[in-house]
Amino acid sequence: MLCALLLMSCGAEVAMKKGDRFYAVGEYFDAATQYKKAYSQTPASERTLRGQRALKMAECYRRINYTQKAIAAYNNAIRYKQTDSLTYLHLAQQLMKDGSYKAAEKNFQTALDSMTTANALALAKTGLKSAQQAPQWKKDGSAYTVKRENFFNSRRADYSPMLAGEENNQLFFTSTRNQAKGDELSGITGTKNADIFYSQKDDKGKWQRPEVIDTELNSNDDEGACCFSPDGRTMYLTQCKSDPSYPRYATIATSQRSDAAWGKSSELKMTRDTLSAYAHPAVSPDGQWLYFSSNMPGGMGGYDIWRVRLTSSGVGGVENVGAPINTSGNEMFPTFRPNGDLYFSSDGHEGMGGLDIYFVESEDLKVVGSDNQRPTFNIQHPGYPLNSQGDDFGMTFEGMLNKGFFSSNRGDGKGWDHIYSFYNPEIVQTVKGWVYEQDGYELPQALVYMVGNDGTNMKLSVKGDGSFTQVIKPGVDYLFLGTCKGFLNHQEQLRVEPVTESQEYVLQFPLASITAPVLIENIFYDFDKATLRPESTAALDKLVALLNENPNVTIELSAHCDYKGSAEYNKRLAQRRAESVVEYLTAHGIASDRLKPVGYGKEKPKTIRKKLTEKYPFLKENDVLTEELIKTLDEEQQEICNQLNRRTEFIVLRTTYGLFPKK
């Protein structure tokens, strides 16, 4: 019997030493396994040792989200009277995650009597209020509806979803499922290291089976919690490299998209600090700031939310976003709603347990980082069921509406995170605009200036498809000006009235080229005459508006004919038609010295641009519709080409009219 006890004691000591080595490098799953082995081999009579080993086991379970096992281990440490100054605080926090609010309240109260540091005291006070309020929050509920999306989930952890693509038709997320790269299991979680997976909608809008990103982006190490630059070409991600003898620190890396593939990531250096973690990147909608979570020195508690300015030459200096966002606890997983509101997760604000989701409105966010005074805005809690007793984090939004996906480990005994969808039917009014070449393709380099009579003054970038989406307010008159280098400006106005359900207004910004002829569509003349038909008025009025919006432009107004008839006759007819258009424009206030009418007749047959080949596949880009080419086509195609040649166009001559004295 004595030999057996000695062997058990020896085995327990070996397990404890292994556990301590694992714990020192942050491999809490492996450490917990060893501590549990040592605990089970410690005789019940060794109450002090059992209590000490139970406490170490509890700390590991707490860190890997094994909530119920952590509660049991903390209770054992208390039973054996082997507590430290944080035991009751940590037990109370685990009881919150278990939804045991009454027991949590009792332990928070006990913790308050033993706190020795300001941070711990603040967490205990906040926790006590949370335990008292959480049952009522759950009873009251909110307008949110939440659904677990098992299509994206596995039997392991799936978290931090992020929508991407022009139409939000791609979903990226982090997963430790079996399909992740690498063969070894993580000593931190007991699962495979995380990789980034994605799912894409098909042509019918149905999500396809998630797949791992099979490029050098993913490695045998941990990758995840990603976000994208506004143009969708740069991915920011969290990366954690393995070292068996050294604690692992998360870093933020970037990957560039080449065609449709994401390249190998490279670390984004923001400070010289190599002993702190940098994780959970989020780019502001205007692309000017990168927000992230870090435990670097100078923070307010555990993990804080920091930010760094993004510039064309690299990153600027880091700054802590400060109170009231950051607390004595942990603030993590920042993300942005497209309207500029900042969402994040925290266990340091009053909540329902674990990490809860909170948000700061974009207007309040403008004072973050101010050196003049401490911001006094409110942190908003969306309530239940978006928040729960578990960890709730990693929001992503589908457009401007309050809907999308997030992650939570609610109801999972092993603490695995899963992806959920959410929807809040709040009324949102938006404008969606499209900026494109007047007779060509989208203009992704365009800018749109948005001015409202409520003081709104914004400069909006467009996506790769030339579109932009912006929230607008009822009762406001807006003016939008679409601009792009090499093109004339285009202006639109919008009056927004109150509505009873969400509504999207669509505006078009066709920009006329400064360097290429621009077709004036829907100009009609009487047969074989220069008289403008009444149905031409709408197109001509748009041209009047365009010239008024671009007052420094002079143009050549040209009319063209098909090859039928003599060259002299066609040229005279075209000249009279061009002059008819100029007469209309001058009659509507356009100065005559800004207009030059020219009739080309059939001298300049139309040159086909790429966009037109989509409508008429029998034509090729850069085809010139000469009489010789047209006569090689069938009868129907010939008539189409003749119609294309019979056109009225303008080309910009100068962009400096009225800017300098005439002499």
Side-chain angles (χ1 to χ4, degrees):
M1 182 68 179
L2 180 61
C3 289
L5 289 174
L6 288 172
L7 286 171
M8 287 179 62
S9 176
C10 182
E13 289 300 325
V14 171
M16 285 301 298
K17 288 180 179 179
K18 288 183 178 179
D20 289 343
R21 286 198 297 270
F22 287 132
Y23 192 93
V25 295
E27 296 184 345
Y28 302 115
F29 179 87
D30 287 348
T33 302
Q34 296 300 320
Y35 291 148
K36 181 181 179 181
K37 181 179 179 180
Y39 179 84
S40 64
Q41 292 180 350
T42 305
S45 58
E46 299 284 346
R47 295 179 62 83
T48 299
L49 275 178
R50 281 179 71 86
Q52 291 172 349
R53 290 165 183 177
L55 186 59
K56 287 197 170 186
M57 197 163 38
E59 286 300 301
C60 291
Y61 287 141
R62 174 177 68 87
R63 292 170 184 270
I64 60 176
N65 285 327
Y66 282 27
T67 300
Q68 293 176 350
K69 288 185 176 183
I71 291 171
Y74 279 124
N75 280 327
N76 281 333
I78 292 170
R79 180 159 61 95
Y80 290 121
K81 296 183 172 54
Q82 294 300 310
T83 61
D84 61 23
S85 61
L86 297 176
T87 299
Y88 286 99
L89 174 62
H90 288 161
L91 173 58
Q93 291 171 333
Q94 294 300 298
L95 289 165
M96 288 289 292
K97 293 184 73 171
D98 192 50
S100 303
Y101 295 128
K102 284 292 183 184
E105 182 179 353
K106 177 182 176 182
N107 281 277
F108 277 127
Q109 192 64 63
T110 303
L112 282 171
D113 298 332
S114 61
M115 290 295 97
T116 58
T117 65
N119 273 12
L121 183 63
L123 289 174
K125 288 181 177 179
T126 301
L128 180 60
K129 291 180 182 178
S130 298
Q132 294 167 343
Q133 293 180 95
Q136 189 62 45
W137 278 340
K138 189 169 184 178
K139 181 180 178 181
D140 291 343
S142 70
Y144 281 90
T145 56
V146 165
K147 179 186 176 184
R148 180 164 160 168
E149 297 293 342
N150 286 328
F151 179 77
F152 301 115
N153 293 316
S154 66
R155 295 182 179 181
R156 294 293 185 264
D158 304 284
Y159 58 96
S160 290
M162 182 58 58
L163 286 162
E166 304 293 359
E167 300 297 327
N168 293 308
N169 59 351
Q170 299 173 352
L171 184 70
F172 293 76
F173 62 92
T174 309
S175 180
T176 61
R177 64 186 64 191
N178 292 334
Q179 289 76 23
K181 290 185 175 181
D183 298 320
E184 295 183 4
L185 299 182
S186 167
I188 300 176
T189 63
T191 66
K192 297 184 78 170
N193 285 331
D195 275 345
I196 299 176
F197 287 70
Y198 78 101
S199 175
Q200 185 155 341
K201 287 182 179 179
D202 61 17
D203 294 339
K204 297 181 180 179
K206 183 179 179 181
W207 289 108
Q208 300 300 289
R209 183 181 299 277
E211 299 177 5
V212 67
I213 296 180
D214 194 18
T215 68
E216 288 187 294
L217 173 71
N218 285 319
S219 68
N220 292 335
D221 297 317
D222 266 309
E223 285 89 18
C226 67
C227 71
F228 301 93
S229 59
D231 63 9
R233 296 173 184 172
T234 303
M235 176 192 292
Y236 296 83
L237 65 147
T238 307
Q239 193 170 56
C240 197
K241 296 185 178 180
S242 300
D243 189 330
S245 60
Y246 196 75
R248 300 203 302 170
Y249 295 102
T251 60
I252 291 175
T254 62
S255 170
Q256 303 300 320
R257 189 183 68 186
S258 176
D259 294 328
W262 292 100
K264 186 176 182 180
S265 64
S266 58
E267 184 179 349
L268 180 66
K269 285 282 188 182
M270 292 179 287
T271 73
R272 295 181 180 178
D273 179 1
T274 60
L275 299 178
S276 301
Y278 301 82
H280 315 151
V283 180
S284 59
D286 60 10
Q288 295 186 20
W289 293 96
L290 177 69
Y291 284 65
F292 60 95
S293 180
S294 177
N295 60 352
M296 74 176 85
M300 299 180 61
Y303 281 82
D304 275 9
I305 293 178
W306 301 69
R307 70 178 186 176
V308 62
R309 188 177 288 278
L310 297 174
T311 71
S312 58
S313 57
V315 296
V318 299
E319 61 182 39
N320 190 293
V321 301
I325 293 176
N326 290 322
T327 67
S328 301
N330 296 300
E331 280 68 49
M332 311 169 83
F333 297 98
T335 190
F336 281 92
R337 189 172 170 182
N339 66 2
D341 294 349
L342 172 67
Y343 283 69
F344 64 96
S345 292
S346 170
D347 60 11
H349 291 280
E350 294 173 23
M352 299 185 67
L355 293 170
D356 269 24
I357 294 169
Y358 303 84
F359 71 94
V360 179
E361 292 184 349
S362 58
E363 288 300 312
D364 291 332
L365 202 59
K366 291 178 180 178
V367 300
V368 166
S370 171
D371 295 328
N372 298 326
Q373 60 181 9
R374 177 172 290 236
T376 57
F377 54 82
N378 293 323
I379 304 297
Q380 301 191 49
H381 185 271
Y384 178 84
L386 185 67
N387 285 312
S388 68
Q389 72 242 30
D391 291 324
D392 306 295
F393 62 98
M395 302 275 284
T396 185
F397 291 86
E398 186 178 333
M400 293 293 180
L401 298 181
N402 197 347
K403 65 181 294 190
F405 299 94
F406 73 109
S407 38
S408 176
N409 58 23
R410 63 186 70 185
D412 191 291
K414 291 188 175 182
W416 302 136
D417 304 309
H418 302 292
I419 294 173
Y420 289 74
S421 62
F422 70 90
Y423 175 59
N424 185 326
E426 64 184 39
I427 297 174
V428 180
Q429 289 178 275
T430 59
V431 58
K432 183 161 190 174
W434 303 85
V435 188
Y436 53 93
E437 191 175 355
Q438 188 157 307
D439 55 352
Y441 293 94
E442 60 275 354
L443 294 171
Q445 299 82 23
L447 289 174
V448 177
Y449 294 87
M450 172 179 166
V451 179
N453 62 356
D454 64 339
T456 298
N457 192 338
M458 302 177 69
K459 182 170 68 173
L460 309 175
S461 298
V462 302
K463 298 180 181 178
D465 63 349
S467 72
F468 69 90
T469 305
Q470 182 62 38
V471 172
I472 49 181
K473 301 175 184 177
V476 178
D477 294 320
Y478 290 101
L479 177 68
F480 298 86
L481 184 68
T483 68
C484 188
K485 186 176 181 180
F487 294 85
L488 300 182
N489 298 334
H490 181 85
Q491 182 176 296
E492 290 287 341
Q493 297 182 21
L494 181 64
R495 167 71 181 177
V496 184
E497 301 293 347
V499 294
T500 56
E501 59 183 26
S502 294
Q503 185 170 340
E504 182 174 77
Y505 304 84
V506 177
L507 299 177
Q508 304 284 342
F509 295 83
L511 303 190
S513 173
I514 291 176
T515 58
V518 178
L519 177 68
I520 309 172
E521 295 189 276
N522 300 319
I523 298 293
F524 304 101
Y525 307 91
D526 286 340
F527 177 71
D528 208 24
K529 295 181 180 179
T531 308
L532 287 165
R533 295 182 60 81
E535 53 265 39
S536 304
T537 302
L540 291 171
D541 288 344
K542 287 182 180 179
L543 183 55
V544 170
L546 178 67
L547 291 169
N548 284 328
E549 291 163 10
N550 297 271
N552 304 120
V553 165
T554 63
I555 65 170
E556 175 188 282
L557 203 296
S558 60
H560 304 263
C561 301
D562 57 32
Y563 67 81
K564 299 175 182 178
S566 68
E568 295 78 7
Y569 178 82
N570 279 342
K571 190 165 186 175
R572 288 196 302 272
L573 177 61
Q575 181 67 32
R576 296 201 313 273
R577 286 180 170 179
E579 290 170 354
S580 294
V581 174
V582 167
E583 288 173 7
Y584 185 95
L585 299 178
T586 55
H588 287 76
I590 305 301
S592 60
D593 58 348
R594 296 179 60 195
L595 308 169
K596 179 183 178 182
V598 179
Y600 285 104
K602 58 181 180 181
E603 290 177 4
K604 288 191 174 184
K606 187 174 182 67
T607 299
I608 299 301
R609 302 186 65 189
K610 185 177 179 181
K611 184 71 173 178
L612 207 54
T613 64
E614 297 174 5
K615 185 176 182 181
Y616 302 114
F618 67 90
L619 295 174
K620 298 182 180 65
E621 185 179 6
N622 296 322
D623 274 352
V624 179
L625 301 184
T626 62
E627 180 177 354
E628 291 75 21
L629 185 148
I630 293 174
K631 287 183 175 179
T632 65
L633 305 174
D634 64 38
E635 187 175 342
E636 182 180 352
Q637 292 171 344
Q638 286 187 33
E639 180 52 32
I640 291 172
C641 292
N642 285 330
Q643 289 176 0
L644 292 174
N645 271 335
R646 296 192 294 266
R647 67 200 190 276
T648 304
E649 294 176 334
F650 73 84
I651 187 169
V652 175
L653 299 176
R654 292 170 51 211
T655 58
T656 57
Y657 178 83
L659 294 180
F660 307 103
K662 288 185 178 181
K663 66 180 180 180

